Amino acid sequence: MDIKKTGVAGSESKQDVLVKVEPGQSGLEVRITSSLGRLYYTQIASSVDEIANKYGIANAIITVIDSGALDYVIRARMESAILRASQEIEKKFYSEKREAVYKLRRTRLYLPGSNPYLMQGITYYNADGIILDLEDAVSLEDKDSARMLVSYALRNIDFGKAEKMVRINSLDVCGAEDIEAILPHKPDVILIPKCESEYDVKKVSEILEKTEKRFNLYGYQAKIMPIIESAKGVENAYEIAGISDRTTALAFGAEDYTVSLGVRKTEGEDELLFAKQSIVNAAKAAGIQASDTVYSNIEDTAGLKRSTEKSKILGFDGRGVIHPSQIDIVHSVFQPSEKEIEEAKEIIEVFNKAKEDGSGVVKHKGKMIDMPIVLRAMRVMSIYKTINQE
Amino acid sequence: MLRKNAVNRDIPDSIDNRELHPFAGAFNTNPIGKRKFAPKLSISKPNNDKLCKTVRDALEKAQVRDGMTISFHHHLREGDAVVNMVIEEIAKMGIKNITIFPTALFAVHDKLIEFVKSGVISKIEGSLNGPIGKFVSYGNMKNTCVLRSHGGRVRAIESGDMKIDIAFIASPTADEFGNCSGLYGKSACGPLAYADIDSRYAEHVIVITDNLVKYPLVPHSIPSTRVDTVVKVDSIGDPALIVTGTMRITKSPTRLLIAKYSVDFLDKIGYIKNEMNFQTGAGGISLAVTKFMADKMREKNVKAKFINGGITKYAVEMLKEGLTDSLIDVQSFDLEAIESMRSDKNHFECTVDEYANYFSKGCLVDKLDVGFLGATEVDVNFNVNVNTHSDGLLLHGIGGHQDVAAGCDITMITIPAYRNRLPIIMDSVTTVTTPGETVDVIVTEMGIAINPLRTDLIEKAKNIKSIPIMPIHEMKNKIEKITGKMEKPEKKDRIVALIEYRDGTIIDVVREVAL
């Protein structure tokens, strides 16, 4: 590949690296400076060489200004810079196998897809899901390098027990390119922003189908979580929830929703009640989960707790979080209370006993117990057991 | 000739005409039969006028000469104006080749570099921080520097290894007879614990204050019996930098997780109970640890006997809430701590001698249950480096690290697994500050590694499921997988600094770094 113009990717902020690829005449000229002096010089140089070779670059001036970036970040920035310099978009990824497993979905943590410093904690955030965001957190001119960094992050970072999630852009922005770039790295869930109709989900589902086939991703199927964030979306919530069997949960986005209503968010969240109940009802009717909107005031932990308690009452299975410090608070709310656990244990016990005895009537504390109550008790116990395995 | 010491470092027989003793193990050096050094006797007469109008007058009265050793304390931290003021005056007088002997230096003291270049200062025995450390690391100091722990510095003075010619004691309030207090005045800093030993052993003691009051100043930390001269100046420092505003707990999720693991671990092994005690500080993770300790103690309804160390408002709140019987304060970091010390009879000042001196009949660190400490590096033998960075540059002092580690029951090193790309755990640390035999537990966001010497802790931690507990080699490999393996920095043979252990033996040397 010939480098005909200059391509730059990355930044000089902490744990990132700035890579500049320029046309050159006589071979590869690599200039490396690092905040860590020469302690990683050889490794940085070899990663730069490796990526340059992969693209068959014979002549170029490559300037690397490192601020303590990990190897995967260096490689991602290097590839982005080359692609920006050549304007060629090539698929050169290899993916590793990872089975998507069902997880608790109490929290899904948003992290900007462009910031390696915030990504370093992914292994240790105990959120149930981690969303690498390509949409609102990334500026238009950085979409390509964020896509590359997210691809590398999906492949290189240990997500622990958390589901790997990516929020792509709307299809009318660059959602299709996002899917194209990240799917080979097998994210568990794709979040579709600003879903207004079943068509939005159907289209994404088709692209996922095609892309999975094209990359031969056998045995892997990306799940979908549509985010409803407009009045129209709320009206179409049931159709959105039901159109694709990839859809695993509906999420709510309150910021844009209030704009579409022409109202402001208030402390009591009265303006959100209809949307929240509609979304929970649509999701449950379609047999999937519902995830509430984020709570945007990071400082107000008491407010977060109150709001989350309300989410739980309304029937949400969890919510979005925008800072790791919110995770434990949300988890503590969705953790079944001791009373709930006690009650669930008793119900399952009397149910089992009634089954053994062949009795058709199940009673607990004088009240008749029917099947939905037993199922709810079983769900409480299964959440409790999953949490206590952690 | 070089000899290997007990942590496998090569120590020369002598340097700058000083005979060196290699570190022999944490408790294997004993000054049996030796006596303390003593300064000359003085007399006290009526109408003894100690006041001097200027620093120059005071220096002349003290008969400052080439080659003298001049000491300072660091209670004024980044706000200190005294060290720079005194050295500038000494330079103006044409004095050369002095040794400065501070309890610690800060970035505000970068100015000293020009006085090293001009030959006014030829040696520093004390912490070397930031730019001065860098300057020394590149081989720019004529003599070899010596770094000591807080307790080790007291020991060096008492045993006569370090003879102080003139001690400057910056005092936020003093009377004309030399009684000193750090509790009052615009430059209030709390205790004057670091200066105590200098006031006892220096040949000549100069108190420098910006708040001169009428005798008698009571209560006081340092009495008039040890003071030769009192100088009044306009300002001894910048109050905004002497104490920081309200210190904030780290927001970094990984650091919070480290603090949480530390407290949870202590809880699970049964250390959070009535009459417990611990040492805390003001570093990033320390504040979070203090807060989480308070939360846990409240939850379990237990009360500590004492909290010791650098005191912040978080510890003060624990005293007020009744979560601890007392605070034992070596340095106060914020206004809340100073105010508490003024008003609460259960908030005590503790001299560094009482806090950390190994050559004494009993110092506080030996009564500690838990000490939370930091590090720049740790190795698989649990040796800790707090002095140099992985590139070999000398950038930090020892503080109380060696003393607390040696004394307390559980020494916990709380550190992120890697900073930028630099791994924290390695095969062998760049510089050994604190020997592994005194370090018990390493806590990173990856989990906890326990020193194999502590079979009791390993046994107690056997059933912990909520915190990943792993051998240190495993933790090292995990970190290295993320960061990649680091290369070794290029070093020269010349020794630029000695790292003294708290007993006066040499635990490691710092070599010149190639530019």
Side-chain angles (χ1 to χ4, degrees):
Chain A
M1 182 190 286
D2 285 340
I3 300 295
K4 297 226 164 65
K5 59 179 197 125
T6 302
V8 183
S11 74
E12 288 187 52
S13 47
K14 218 165 154 186
Q15 301 242 290
D16 203 345
V17 58
L18 187 75
V19 179
K20 189 169 164 193
V21 178
E22 296 167 279
Q25 263 94 51
S26 48
L28 276 187
E29 190 186 331
V30 181
R31 302 167 185 156
I32 298 170
T33 52
S34 169
S35 65
L36 305 179
R38 295 192 58 90
L39 293 178
Y40 281 99
Y41 187 88
T42 317
Q43 282 181 60
I44 295 172
S46 91
S47 294
V48 167
D49 276 353
E50 205 178 296
I51 302 285
N53 284 337
K54 182 165 134 184
Y55 285 88
I57 293 165
N59 299 308
I61 302 166
I62 301 172
T63 314
V64 177
I65 302 168
D66 171 51
S67 307
L70 295 176
D71 191 52
Y72 81 90
V73 178
I74 293 169
R75 287 165 184 261
R77 296 316 193 190
M78 182 68 192
E79 282 207 38
S80 289
I82 290 173
L83 291 174
R84 282 175 173 183
S86 65
Q87 278 179 324
E88 265 183 63
I89 309 289
E90 287 190 33
K91 305 295 160 304
K92 304 223 173 195
F93 304 124
Y94 311 94
S95 57
E96 55 193 76
K97 215 171 168 170
R98 184 178 190 273
E99 296 294 318
V101 282
Y102 176 80
K103 287 287 232 171
L104 278 174
R105 292 212 174 94
R106 296 166 296 179
T107 44
R108 47 188 175 89
L109 170 68
Y110 281 97
L111 293 175
S114 50
N115 187 332
Y117 179 68
L118 294 175
M119 288 182 190
Q120 68 165 332
I122 285 178
T123 317
Y124 314 107
Y125 304 141
N126 54 341
D128 294 330
I130 303 226
I131 305 163
L132 298 174
D133 186 15
L134 295 172
E135 200 215 5
D136 286 351
V138 178
S139 66
L140 265 182
E141 58 273 19
D142 263 337
K143 296 287 185 198
D144 62 336
S145 71
R147 226 176 265 146
M148 184 68 79
L149 186 64
V150 165
S151 302
Y152 267 90
L154 288 170
R155 206 160 67 222
N156 285 284
I157 296 178
D158 177 8
F159 277 64
K161 289 177 188 156
E163 276 184 303
K164 298 179 174 182
M165 302 181 172
V166 177
R167 177 162 76 172
I168 59 170
N169 291 279
S170 301
L171 290 180
D172 52 5
V173 182
C174 56
E177 288 99 312
D178 292 340
I179 292 175
E180 185 94 345
I182 60 163
L183 213 62
H185 314 292
K186 298 186 180 174
D188 297 313
V189 183
I190 303 292
L191 282 82
I192 313 171
K194 303 185 177 67
C195 257
E196 298 224 302
S197 72
E198 57 187 286
Y199 175 78
D200 295 333
V201 178
K202 200 168 159 232
K203 196 77 195 139
V204 168
S205 183
E206 282 166 13
I207 297 172
L208 288 174
E209 188 89 41
K210 261 192 265 168
T211 316
E212 282 163 6
K213 280 218 180 88
R214 200 150 56 77
F215 285 108
N216 297 328
L217 305 173
Y218 298 118
Y220 161 77
Q221 191 189 48
K223 299 212 164 22
I224 292 175
M225 191 186 294
I227 311 174
I228 292 176
E229 20 188 357
S230 67
K232 190 175 168 194
V234 171
E235 284 300 323
N236 294 328
Y238 181 60
E239 284 72 30
I240 292 172
I243 183 74
S244 164
D245 56 10
R246 289 173 183 267
T247 310
T248 179
L250 281 190
F252 178 42
E255 296 299 330
D256 288 355
Y257 174 72
T258 47
V259 173
S260 83
L261 284 196
V263 299
R264 280 185 183 284
K265 264 170 83 177
T266 63
E267 173 72 30
E269 300 185 344
D270 286 350
E271 68 287 353
L272 305 180
L273 187 61
F274 174 75
K276 287 191 179 194
Q277 291 190 314
S278 303
I279 288 168
V280 169
N281 201 68
K284 298 299 155 104
I288 60 174
Q289 290 180 310
S291 181
D292 204 356
T293 185
V294 300
Y295 190 81
S296 45
N297 187 349
I298 300 171
E299 305 286 329
D300 185 4
T301 51
L304 171 67
K305 189 151 186 282
R306 276 197 302 278
S307 163
T308 308
E309 278 161 355
K310 206 165 168 191
S311 304
K312 188 185 176 187
I313 289 170
L314 293 179
F316 282 106
D317 298 276
R319 76 180 311 167
V321 291
I322 51 170
H323 191 276
S325 65
Q326 297 183 320
I327 295 169
D328 281 351
I329 298 168
V330 175
H331 283 188
S332 75
V333 173
F334 281 102
Q335 159 98 13
S337 69
E338 275 176 32
K339 208 178 137 204
E340 280 175 298
I341 295 160
E342 203 49 45
E343 196 183 69
K345 272 187 192 158
E346 285 168 16
I347 289 171
I348 292 168
E349 207 172 290
V350 292
F351 174 74
N352 287 338
K353 194 163 178 298
K355 233 172 35 180
E356 270 174 38
D357 297 350
S359 158
V361 187
V362 187
K363 269 189 170 182
H364 176 243
K365 288 185 179 163
K367 279 186 192 162
M368 288 286 288
I369 302 290
D370 51 12
M371 210 47 208
I373 293 179
V374 176
L375 289 177
R376 192 179 65 196
M378 285 173 164
R379 220 183 85 217
V380 168
M381 285 315 290
S382 113
I383 292 174
Y384 170 72
K385 279 181 188 153
T386 318
I387 293 169
N388 281 289
Q389 271 170 11
E390 283 175 359
Chain B
M1 209 185 81
L2 296 172
R3 284 174 292 176
K4 289 250 186 263
N5 70 7
V7 285
N8 211 25
R9 300 284 155 146
D10 292 318
I11 309 297
D13 289 337
S14 72
I15 208 159
D16 296 350
N17 297 323
R18 174 184 163 189
E19 190 193 340
L20 303 180
H21 302 282
F23 171 69
F27 301 101
N28 293 340
T29 300
N30 194 328
I32 298 170
K34 287 193 183 143
R35 291 196 175 274
K36 287 182 187 174
F37 167 82
K40 287 179 192 134
L41 288 166
S42 310
I43 51 162
S44 179
K45 283 189 299 190
N47 304 321
N48 179 4
D49 185 8
K50 295 188 183 180
L51 278 177
C52 276
K53 284 202 168 53
T54 61
V55 173
R56 176 68 165 254
D57 291 348
L59 281 164
E60 279 171 359
K61 187 176 150 195
Q63 299 181 346
V64 62
R65 288 188 309 277
D66 287 2
M68 276 188 161
T69 296
I70 306 200
S71 83
F72 301 93
H73 71 75
H74 75 273
H75 282 288
L76 306 185
R77 290 174 284 258
E78 281 296 358
D80 178 61
V82 171
V83 174
N84 291 342
M85 187 194 306
V86 169
I87 301 299
E88 268 166 37
E89 201 56 50
I90 286 174
K92 275 187 213 154
M93 294 169 77
I95 308 284
K96 298 272 182 200
N97 275 329
I98 62 163
T99 295
I100 61 165
F101 184 42
T103 56
L105 291 177
F106 284 79
V108 65
H109 302 122
D110 295 352
K111 269 195 173 168
L112 298 184
I113 290 177
E114 62 179 278
F115 298 113
V116 174
K117 285 182 182 160
S118 63
V120 176
I121 298 169
S122 61
K123 190 173 187 182
I124 296 176
E125 301 227 4
S127 82
L128 293 158
N129 304 53
I132 300 177
K134 213 167 171 174
F135 179 81
V136 170
S137 303
Y138 290 129
N140 294 317
M141 183 77 88
K142 203 167 115 195
N143 293 303
T144 314
C145 297
V146 182
L147 285 90
R148 296 185 179 87
S149 71
H150 291 327
R153 183 177 184 276
V154 173
R155 181 213 56 78
I157 295 169
E158 279 201 342
S159 58
D161 290 358
M162 279 307 288
K163 188 171 145 290
I164 303 169
D165 295 303
I166 304 172
F168 272 89
I169 298 180
S171 184
T173 296
D175 64 30
E176 76 280 6
F177 213 42
N179 293 303
C180 297
S181 170
L183 292 181
Y184 307 95
K186 62 177 177 182
S187 308
C189 63
L192 291 174
Y194 290 105
D196 173 79
I197 196 74
D198 302 44
S199 76
R200 290 174 191 271
Y201 284 84
E203 293 292 2
H204 194 94
V205 175
I206 299 172
V207 167
I208 179 162
T209 186
D210 53 12
N211 184 35
L212 186 67
V213 297
K214 182 79 188 130
Y215 181 88
L217 169 61
V218 280
H220 48 247
S221 298
I222 291 170
S224 59
T225 50
R226 308 177 196 158
V227 178
D228 295 272
T229 304
V230 180
V231 190
K232 160 87 167 62
V233 295
D234 291 338
S235 165
I236 58 169
D238 179 353
L241 296 172
I242 293 171
V243 282
T244 52
T246 302
M247 292 203 191
R248 304 203 61 176
I249 288 180
T250 177
K251 281 215 162 124
S252 152
T254 45
R255 275 152 213 256
L256 287 171
L257 184 63
I258 293 164
K260 185 169 172 286
Y261 277 164
S262 308
V263 174
D264 285 353
F265 177 78
L266 291 173
D267 181 26
K268 296 261 154 73
I269 61 168
Y271 269 68
I272 299 192
K273 58 182 183 212
N274 273 321
E275 304 204 323
M276 59 181 281
N277 67 68
F278 63 95
Q279 144 113 10
T280 169
I285 300 176
S286 290
L287 290 180
V289 166
T290 310
K291 185 179 173 290
F292 291 168
M293 283 296 269
D295 292 345
K296 186 60 85 182
M297 288 166 67
R298 199 177 298 120
E299 180 193 317
K300 301 187 65 135
N301 197 23
V302 301
K303 188 175 194 182
K305 203 72 202 161
F306 72 90
I307 298 172
N308 147 265
I311 300 298
T312 62
K313 82 162 191 177
Y314 295 98
V316 169
E317 281 167 6
M318 291 178 76
L319 178 65
K320 283 188 183 153
E321 198 187 323
L323 289 172
T324 177
D325 281 344
S326 55
L327 297 179
I328 302 185
D329 189 335
V330 180
Q331 63 175 324
S332 298
F333 284 106
D334 51 26
L335 288 170
E336 289 90 340
I338 297 171
E339 176 51 39
S340 162
M341 205 165 159
R342 276 199 285 255
S343 58
D344 196 323
K345 65 176 174 42
N346 292 318
H347 185 156
F348 300 93
E349 173 169 352
C350 174
T351 67
V352 178
D353 170 42
E354 185 184 345
Y355 164 53
N357 184 7
Y358 173 53
F359 281 10
S360 70
K361 292 176 183 170
C363 59
L364 183 144
V365 293
D366 293 321
K367 297 296 280 180
L368 278 171
D369 291 339
V370 185
F372 301 99
L373 298 171
T376 57
E377 298 173 336
V378 177
D379 68 26
V380 292
N381 297 314
F382 288 79
N383 294 319
V384 175
N385 173 14
V386 301
N387 295 119
T388 54
H389 281 205
S390 299
D391 52 14
L393 294 176
L394 184 53
L395 297 174
H396 309 277
I398 298 174
H401 204 285
Q402 295 171 343
D403 306 307
V404 173
C408 70
D409 181 358
I410 300 187
T411 302
M412 286 187 118
I413 308 291
T414 55
I415 33 168
Y418 59 97
R419 296 189 178 98
N420 280 328
R421 199 179 171 175
L422 301 174
I424 282 303
I425 302 177
M426 45 206 53
D427 289 322
S428 176
V429 285
T430 308
T431 306
V432 183
T433 310
T434 297
E437 62 175 299
T438 64
V439 174
D440 304 298
V441 179
I442 312 295
V443 190
T444 72
E445 67 271 31
M446 293 192 172
I448 283 179
I450 305 172
N451 192 331
L453 293 173
R454 291 301 299 264
T455 46
D456 59 326
L457 294 182
I458 291 171
E459 180 63 26
K460 280 180 185 153
K462 222 169 46 187
N463 294 319
I464 297 179
K465 293 220 169 59
S466 55
I467 309 166
I469 295 184
M470 64 193 87
I472 193 148
H473 286 93
E474 188 182 325
M475 197 183 277
K476 177 189 159 258
N477 292 340
K478 274 185 142 175
I479 298 171
E480 231 167 60
K481 226 177 126 191
I482 295 172
T483 63
K485 219 174 161 73
M486 206 167 46
E487 289 159 52
K488 284 257 172 273
E490 208 182 311
K491 281 195 233 169
K492 300 187 178 173
D493 283 341
R494 195 194 143 198
I495 293 169
V496 295
L498 300 173
I499 309 294
E500 227 183 71
Y501 192 59
R502 62 197 296 250
D503 60 10
T505 60
I506 304 301
I507 192 158
D508 207 348
V509 298
V510 180
R511 290 179 195 274
E512 185 178 331
V513 175
L515 260 175

